[in-house]
Amino acid sequence: MAVQRTFSIIKPDATNRNLTGAINAIFEKNGLRIVAQKRIEMTQKQAETFYAVHSERPFFGELVEFMTSAPVVVQVLEGENAVLKHREVMGATNPAEAAEGTVRKEFALSIGENSVHGSDSEENAAIEIAQFFSGNEIVG
Ligand code: UDP
């Protein structure tokens, strides 16, 4: 297994409920190291670009509105097999289908307000990290 980096967002429903630390504790307990982290207000343009792959989906407008409704915490996580590990720890997109012990099972409010984002491939992780971090902000 290789050490990888992945991109993570703690979404507005979670920052609103003061869950940043609780979610980070789950990541760290599962071997994911936080090597970059900042709290930002995502702009409309950033949210539209980030979720461009979903621009034709019926939920796109709501998703952009949600992601810009309150601060988010953007992160780079590092660890063995980090992309898949993070996806496992997050749980299924729909919290009703998420496994016990996952972040979304524990905290997500709905399929839209589902507390966390995680990259779905190493290639997308690199693209997403570059959208929010410069190289010198990542300290491994
Ligand atoms: N989403 C939504 N309604 C849906 C499907 C997705 O609002 O029916 C939102 C949800 O916040 C999700 C994001 O769009 O996390 C991206 O969807 P994707 O299918 O890529 O899920 P993820 O990779 O986040 O599990």
Side-chain angles (χ1 to χ4, degrees), residues 11 51 54 57 59 63 87 90 93 104 111-114 116-118:
K11 295 184 178 182
Y51 280 119
H54 294 307
R57 308 280 289 278
F59 58 81
L63 179 58
R87 298 282 300 182
M90 288 189 338
T93 309
R104 283 168 166 168
I111 191 168
E113 301 195 19
N114 59 4
V116 281
H117 164 85

Side-chain angles (χ1 to χ4, degrees), residues 28-114:
E28 291 183 331
K29 198 172 63 193
N30 283 277
L32 295 164
R33 303 179 70 82
I34 302 161
V35 295
Q37 173 167 263
K38 58 190 173 189
R39 181 175 164 98
I40 62 167
E41 280 180 323
M42 211 181 260
T43 64
Q44 169 119 358
K45 177 107 179 19
Q46 277 177 314
E48 285 173 356
T49 302
F50 185 74
Y51 280 119
V53 67
H54 294 307
S55 62
E56 302 304 318
R57 308 280 289 278
F59 58 81
F60 181 68
E62 255 178 49
L63 179 58
V64 170
E65 195 178 321
F66 167 57
M67 293 300 290
T68 56
S69 67
V72 298
V73 176
V74 291
Q75 308 175 303
V76 181
L77 305 179
E78 186 178 270
E80 292 282 338
N81 225 4
V83 173
L84 186 62
K85 165 64 70 182
H86 185 224
R87 298 282 300 182
E88 283 171 3
V89 169
M90 288 189 338
T93 309
N94 184 348
E97 291 162 14
E100 285 299 332
T102 62
V103 172
R104 283 168 166 168
K105 175 73 177 181
E106 180 115 348
F107 298 123
L109 300 176
S110 66
I111 191 168
E113 301 195 19
N114 59 4

